Amino acid sequence: MQNAIIQFETKPDFDRGPDAQKALIDAHPDAASLFSQFPGIGIEYRYSDLGGDLVERLLLDARGAPDSSFHPDLCFTLSFGKEDVAKVLQALTSHPKVVSCEMEVDETPEARAPLTSNNTSFQNYFEDYPAGNDLFSVAGSVSNARGEGLRVFTIGYDFWRDHPEFKNTRHPIVTPQPLYGSRRVGTPFLAVLAASLGQASMTGGLPWAEHYVLPASNPSNRLVVDQSIMEAIRIGGEGDIIVIASWAASVNGFSDVPVECAEFIWKAIRKATDLGFVVVEPAGDGGRNLDGFVNANNEHVLDPMKTTEFRDSGAVMVGSSKFVPGTGLTPSDKTNRGGRIDAFADGTNIVSAEDDPSTPGTGLYNGFSGNQYSTAVVAAAVGVVQSAFKGTINVILPGNSMRWVVGSNGKYVKGIGSHPRLRNVLPSLFRVFDDVYLRDFVGDDGSRHNRRQGLSSSPDIVIRSQPYTSAQAAIGHGSGQENNNRLSQPVRRGRDSYIYLRGLNRSRNDAQGVLADMYYAKPSVLTTPDKWNRIGQAHFDSAIPAGDKLQCSRAYRWNTANIASGHYCFVAIIYSVTDRPPNLGAIGHIADWVDFISSSNNVAWRNFDVVGKAPNVRHKERSEHPVDVGVRFPVSLGLKLEVTSNLPARAYVGFEIPAVHAGIFQGNISSIDADTAWLEIDPDGTQTLIEDNEVPRQLDLTLVYQDLRGMGDDGDNEEYEVYLRYLFNGIEIGRRTWIISSLAEEPDEPDQEAKANTCA
């Protein structure tokens, strides 16, 4: 079905009533001719951020301003029905009150995102047709849209807690009360929600949100949704999200309808929304038009057109869709429809977690369909919007504002509302909030990445032995040095060094009052914040301009008298008033660390050396290099430590390891003495040292190599490399590299023996 997006002149006293056609004619009486000329067209409300007023509208709603006090663009979605599209468009474009009229692009799904990294891929949870994965790409680009301080309450059914989907959640799923009902419903629902929130093995979404599950029914299969809502109110607070995973089997003779059709549940939902909670509920899979539902008093409480009978609970009501080739998105076969439904997502062909693989004929994953799964997806979209506002300016959107966001910005399908298109909402934040960042590597544009390249090689951390006369002219925007990654000089112990940071800004406004906290740490394979030592704070005297134009900080003079010679890692965290730094205290799980290093563009890393006389390794018979491989997180499943070496084939190389921890290592291990064991490694190859074993917080190894005689005898500088790296579920999360050079270095050059040590 083809739709058009129409924008009329905004009328200051426009009053948005339930009937979009009537409201438009009241605002512009001459619009009535359009509907008399083309009786087959339909029109529904649609808000747009084209005028730049979206954020202001939402903030007014959040502060309790009356709904009629502010209106962004007077925008509608028009469906053509059986009318001649060309004639309707001609009439619209010639209408004196029409500001713009654009055809909505027909949507065809592309490859669908998988539920998990190890599963087949044919999901389309948040795809912004046809551009790809909408929720995660947009959420990852908005500062602090990570769910910190947000609680999500699922009111649903029992689930299989030992499923791999729930093994490595950032926060354990909390079940304050016993759960009942079918695990074959509860398990896949929670897996979809957890993956959509980024709390399972899928990256993105809201990894720092806390997740509770409360019962939807009691052992007698009676709905207790109202009691669980009251429990969520007791535990949570304003802005938290309540997701209902069920619908009512029968109310007043109507089957499979929303739970709010039951009066006692409607009251509980309304209480929650009045207190600032956002409630998300499924419309149900009854295949009916909810406009026709009547309560015990014969009132059409779900029909917004019946203004005297309609009762609004304040919840976001969700339908489900399917994709029909040649037609596009349509309501799924079973979903309920009606004017009360706000939003929808895909409810068919969902791959999710199976209840129990020991059940004959099942495995870890299976195919599912149903309105509860589309509800989980929309709930995650709600969470991202809430987290973006809460995390940037500490504004909480109430339920009505949130319903307006997800129900009025996206592909509209009659009867099931809008497919949430967060690109219509969250980019508006860029007009109000800063997005400052430091690059992790040359070519980094500040978006989410998996740090497979350029670990600890930020070009925007520059350390000099003497200050620049004008750093901005020397290495800032327009200097020709923007992508030079070799500007730093070695740090001389006991002498002053000068630190410069170079910031960029992805937002549409200049970022004022930018600061950056600076730290150093001894190198380890995982240099987590507990190992950092604070240096001080860098100041940007000038605003960082919009449009990714490199701006230099003021020089920070740093004296290293108390720092021993050796190899170190430098960490910088940049932030502004409206782009707050990440909460280091929230990194309590290995998955938090993965998210931190891949998603937070406020943080950058660089290696540096505090040097004295540079060594010559050509004649060393034995060389020793201690390294910490400790992991502060209690994790085992999915964690791997591996070593790669390309030393000469005759080299003797390995690690001295604490004998007490020898049992967690793999490979050729022999005893040296009561306290130390020897782990020999292949001088030229890659091997796994630790896999799926929990690692102590502090674990010191010593790299030892010898028998390098003859290396560099011809006078050429030969370089060899040995590196350790940690992987989590196949993603590199930390590395420590030694580059072994055959020649002594010039006094003013970094120590080449470990010049590429990596710290994140």
Side-chain angles (χ1 to χ4, degrees):
M1 180 183 294
Q2 288 185 301
N3 293 332
I5 302 171
I6 317 167
Q7 181 186 349
F8 286 81
E9 286 184 6
T10 300
K11 191 175 179 62
D13 59 349
F14 171 72
D15 186 15
R16 180 168 65 98
D19 185 338
Q21 178 176 324
K22 181 179 183 302
L24 176 60
I25 294 174
D26 288 345
H28 299 298
D30 50 354
S33 61
L34 293 172
F35 299 102
S36 59
Q37 183 179 358
F38 305 105
I41 62 175
I43 193 163
E44 300 287 343
Y45 292 111
R46 179 194 182 96
Y47 286 90
S48 165
D49 68 336
L50 297 175
D53 294 328
L54 177 60
V55 171
E56 287 83 351
R57 158 65 194 263
L58 294 175
L59 295 182
L60 283 171
D61 279 357
R63 293 166 185 152
D67 188 60
S68 61
S69 65
F70 184 89
H71 296 284
D73 303 328
L74 188 52
C75 214
F76 300 86
T77 296
L78 180 140
S79 55
F80 293 91
K82 296 182 179 180
E83 299 289 351
D84 187 297
V85 174
K87 290 182 179 179
V88 175
L89 289 176
Q90 182 179 7
L92 287 170
T93 53
S94 62
H95 194 282
K97 301 298 183 181
V98 173
V99 176
S100 66
C101 179
E102 299 179 4
M103 289 295 295
E104 191 166 44
V105 178
D106 190 28
E107 300 173 343
T108 303
E110 296 184 342
R112 302 178 176 188
L115 173 64
T116 65
S117 57
N118 61 357
N119 201 7
T120 55
S121 58
F122 58 96
Q123 313 275 59
N124 68 338
Y125 290 161
F126 292 101
E127 289 178 357
D128 187 20
Y129 305 115
N133 197 319
D134 178 62
L135 175 68
F136 301 131
S137 61
V138 177
S141 68
V142 176
S143 300
N144 297 329
R146 316 305 302 154
E148 183 182 349
L150 185 68
R151 298 185 214 40
V152 178
F153 297 92
T154 290
I155 299 178
Y157 302 100
D158 197 10
F159 65 101
W160 182 37
R161 290 157 178 79
D162 291 330
H163 195 285
E165 283 300 301
F166 308 126
K167 285 292 188 182
N168 284 315
T169 55
R170 288 153 171 83
H171 297 288
I173 296 176
V174 180
T175 54
Q177 300 173 356
L179 300 174
Y180 307 99
S182 172
R183 293 201 319 184
R184 194 151 196 269
V185 175
T187 300
F189 176 87
L190 277 181
V192 172
L193 183 58
S196 302
L197 291 172
Q199 294 178 317
S201 43
M202 199 179 209
T203 57
L206 305 172
W208 292 342
E210 298 176 27
H211 195 175
Y212 296 77
V213 182
L214 297 165
S217 63
N218 63 15
S220 302
N221 205 32
R222 179 186 178 277
L223 285 177
V224 291
V225 173
D226 57 322
Q227 299 173 31
S228 291
I229 290 174
M230 300 309 293
E231 179 67 5
I233 291 173
R234 185 188 68 80
I235 298 172
E238 183 181 11
D240 289 341
I241 299 167
I242 299 173
V243 188
I244 300 172
S246 62
W247 49 84
S250 178
V251 177
N252 202 34
F254 293 83
S255 59
D256 298 320
V257 292
V259 292
E260 71 171 56
C261 290
E263 178 74 10
F264 63 98
I265 296 178
W266 183 93
K267 290 180 179 179
I269 294 175
R270 184 56 186 260
K271 182 176 181 62
T273 56
D274 285 346
L275 290 173
F277 287 79
V278 181
V279 180
V280 185
E281 67 169 321
D285 272 347
R288 67 173 67 254
N289 187 341
L290 295 178
D291 293 347
F293 172 82
V294 293
N295 65 6
N297 296 322
N298 205 36
E299 296 170 324
H300 293 80
V301 293
L302 295 178
D303 185 355
M305 303 298 290
K306 308 285 188 183
T307 55
T308 60
E309 300 177 15
F310 176 63
R311 299 185 66 193
D312 191 354
S313 68
V316 178
M317 190 173 289
V318 181
S320 62
S321 66
K322 66 177 182 179
F323 181 76
V324 178
T327 301
L329 291 172
T330 65
S332 64
D333 295 335
K334 292 184 178 181
T335 187
N336 287 328
R337 305 163 176 80
R340 172 62 181 85
I341 300 175
D342 302 295
F344 69 89
D346 188 12
T348 59
N349 298 323
I350 301 297
V351 172
S352 190
E354 181 56 84
D355 169 42
D356 189 340
S358 65
T359 303
T362 65
L364 281 175
Y365 298 93
N366 214 329
F368 299 89
S369 296
N371 185 206
Q372 61 266 50
Y373 307 112
S374 59
T375 302
V377 173
V378 171
V382 166
V384 167
V385 174
Q386 188 71 286
S387 182
F389 277 84
K390 186 175 181 180
T392 47
I393 58 169
N394 199 29
V395 166
I396 295 172
L397 298 183
N400 280 336
S401 294
M402 190 64 70
R403 188 166 64 182
W404 178 81
V405 168
V406 299
S408 302
N409 289 281
K411 170 71 175 179
Y412 174 80
V413 173
K414 187 173 179 60
I416 54 174
S418 291
H419 184 275
R421 182 171 291 156
L422 300 188
R423 283 193 176 90
N424 284 2
V425 180
L426 296 186
S428 301
L429 294 172
F430 295 153
R431 299 192 179 98
V432 180
F433 308 124
D434 303 330
D435 188 7
V436 294
Y437 68 99
L438 301 168
R439 291 173 292 176
D440 286 318
F441 50 87
V442 173
D444 184 4
D445 62 1
S447 59
R448 170 187 288 272
H449 54 84
N450 64 12
R451 300 184 65 86
R452 291 187 186 276
Q453 63 169 321
L455 285 165
S456 300
S457 59
S458 172
D460 298 330
I461 300 172
V462 179
I463 308 174
R464 304 288 296 181
S465 58
Q466 295 294 327
Y468 289 110
T469 302
S470 171
Q472 186 62 30
I475 59 174
H477 178 70
S479 66
Q481 301 298 313
E482 292 90 339
N483 294 324
N484 189 341
N485 199 23
R486 301 179 64 86
L487 295 170
S488 289
Q489 296 172 328
V491 174
R492 292 294 178 182
R493 185 173 181 269
R495 300 182 190 177
D496 288 342
S497 289
Y498 297 85
I499 304 171
Y500 296 90
L501 301 181
R502 305 192 294 178
L504 292 153
N505 179 13
R506 299 201 307 163
S507 72
R508 300 184 184 183
N509 50 280
D510 295 347
Q512 307 284 343
V514 177
L515 301 171
D517 295 330
M518 300 179 292
Y519 306 84
Y520 76 93
K522 291 183 178 180
S524 62
V525 183
L526 284 182
T527 309
T528 46
D530 56 309
K531 301 174 182 178
W532 300 357
N533 302 281
R534 184 174 171 83
I535 295 173
Q537 191 174 71
H539 294 256
F540 287 78
D541 293 328
S542 300
I544 300 182
D548 278 340
K549 297 178 180 179
L550 208 61
Q551 182 68 37
C552 289
S553 71
R554 181 195 312 169
Y556 183 91
R557 189 171 69 178
W558 182 34
N559 186 281
T560 58
N562 297 321
I563 302 177
S565 298
H567 314 298
Y568 294 89
C569 177
F570 190 105
V571 185
I573 302 178
I574 192 171
Y575 55 93
S576 71
V577 174
T578 61
D579 184 7
R580 304 309 298 161
N583 182 357
L584 301 181
I587 304 175
H589 189 280
I590 187 68
D592 296 334
W593 174 251
V594 175
D595 184 75
F596 174 73
I597 64 175
S598 64
S599 299
S600 180
N601 62 10
N602 301 79
V603 184
W605 319 69
R606 187 176 183 87
N607 321 303
F608 71 94
D609 299 300
V610 178
V611 300
K613 182 179 179 181
N616 184 320
V617 303
R618 190 187 332 180
H619 303 297
K620 284 187 177 181
E621 294 297 319
R622 177 183 173 94
S623 187
E624 301 180 358
H625 301 279
V627 61
D628 175 20
V629 299
V631 178
R632 60 168 289 192
F633 312 108
V635 62
S636 57
L637 187 65
L639 186 69
K640 178 193 289 188
L641 176 67
E642 66 179 28
V643 62
T644 298
S645 172
N646 72 339
L647 290 170
R650 67 178 182 178
Y652 184 66
V653 60
F655 291 94
E656 292 182 353
I657 63 177
V660 68
H661 295 305
I664 68 173
F665 290 89
Q666 301 178 10
N668 184 12
I669 301 173
S670 59
S671 176
I672 295 178
D673 55 40
D675 299 321
T676 310
W678 172 252
L679 173 58
E680 185 175 349
I681 66 172
D682 185 350
D684 189 13
T686 298
Q687 68 187 77
T688 298
L689 302 184
I690 300 174
E691 185 169 18
D692 291 341
N693 265 317
E694 189 165 331
V695 179
R697 290 176 67 96
Q698 184 73 30
L699 181 56
D700 295 317
L701 312 184
T702 300
L703 171 68
V704 178
Y705 53 84
Q706 61 187 40
D707 289 340
L708 302 182
R709 289 187 299 267
M711 188 176 83
D713 280 348
D714 57 1
D716 293 334
N717 183 15
E718 298 180 8
E719 288 189 346
Y720 294 85
E721 183 178 85
V722 178
Y723 66 82
L724 284 167
R725 68 171 185 164
Y726 267 119
L727 298 100
F728 180 66
N729 289 337
I731 298 174
E732 183 176 318
I733 61 172
R735 180 185 288 222
R736 170 70 162 95
T737 305
W738 297 268
I739 293 181
I740 305 163
S741 174
S742 64
L743 297 181
E745 306 305 325
E746 296 299 323
D748 289 335
E749 292 299 319
D751 177 358
Q752 292 294 308
E753 189 174 0
K755 68 180 182 181
N757 54 288
T758 306
C759 54

